[in-house]
Amino acid sequence: MYAVIKTGGKQYKVAAGEKIKVEQIAADVGQEITIDQVLAVGNGADLKVGTPLVSGAIVKATVVAHGRHDKVRIFKMRRRKHYQKRQGHRQNFTEIEISAVNA
């Protein structure tokens, strides 16, 4: 059984036992969280799509770790204008392990 969830403005296809990195969630390591924004639930060829959410569907997950992604380097330049700007960014993430998908 799998589900399509929405968290942090992004959509993820998840199944029980998977580990995914999502936008940072305010929860402690080891804490169990429930994600109720489930857009679709599927089991083999059977698929239930919500309008926009599937009513009664919940995905349970456990917070594994918090961290930061690799640095993304930003370089801006205007040719012939003597303008160069360098900047870097590291986005925070939360790694979660999906424990159950309940439809």
Side-chain angles (χ1 to χ4, degrees):
M1 179 173 262
Y2 67 92
V4 177
I5 61 170
K6 178 182 167 187
T7 179
K10 299 177 179 67
Q11 297 177 6
Y12 302 92
K13 180 181 174 186
V14 298
E18 287 184 353
K19 287 185 181 179
I20 59 169
K21 292 180 181 178
V22 298
E23 295 294 319
Q24 189 172 26
I25 298 172
D28 295 328
V29 175
Q31 183 177 350
E32 186 169 323
I33 59 172
T34 59
I35 300 169
D36 56 352
Q37 291 191 334
V38 180
L39 303 173
V41 176
N43 191 1
D46 183 33
L47 178 66
K48 188 191 300 182
V49 179
T51 56
L53 302 175
V54 177
S55 62
I58 291 175
V59 173
K60 294 189 179 196
T62 305
V63 176
V64 176
H66 296 291
R68 301 182 81 185
H69 286 290
D70 292 336
K71 182 175 279 191
V72 177
R73 302 203 181 267
I74 300 139
F75 179 71
K76 296 181 180 181
M77 185 181 108
R78 300 286 182 260
R79 62 183 186 158
R80 300 186 306 271
K81 305 299 180 193
H82 202 263
Y83 169 78
Q84 288 184 351
K85 181 179 180 183
R86 292 176 179 84
Q87 189 175 358
H89 175 74
R90 292 186 70 189
Q91 185 70 29
N92 296 327
F93 69 85
T94 299
E95 186 174 5
I96 60 174
E97 183 175 4
I98 308 300
S99 56
V101 176
N102 299 328

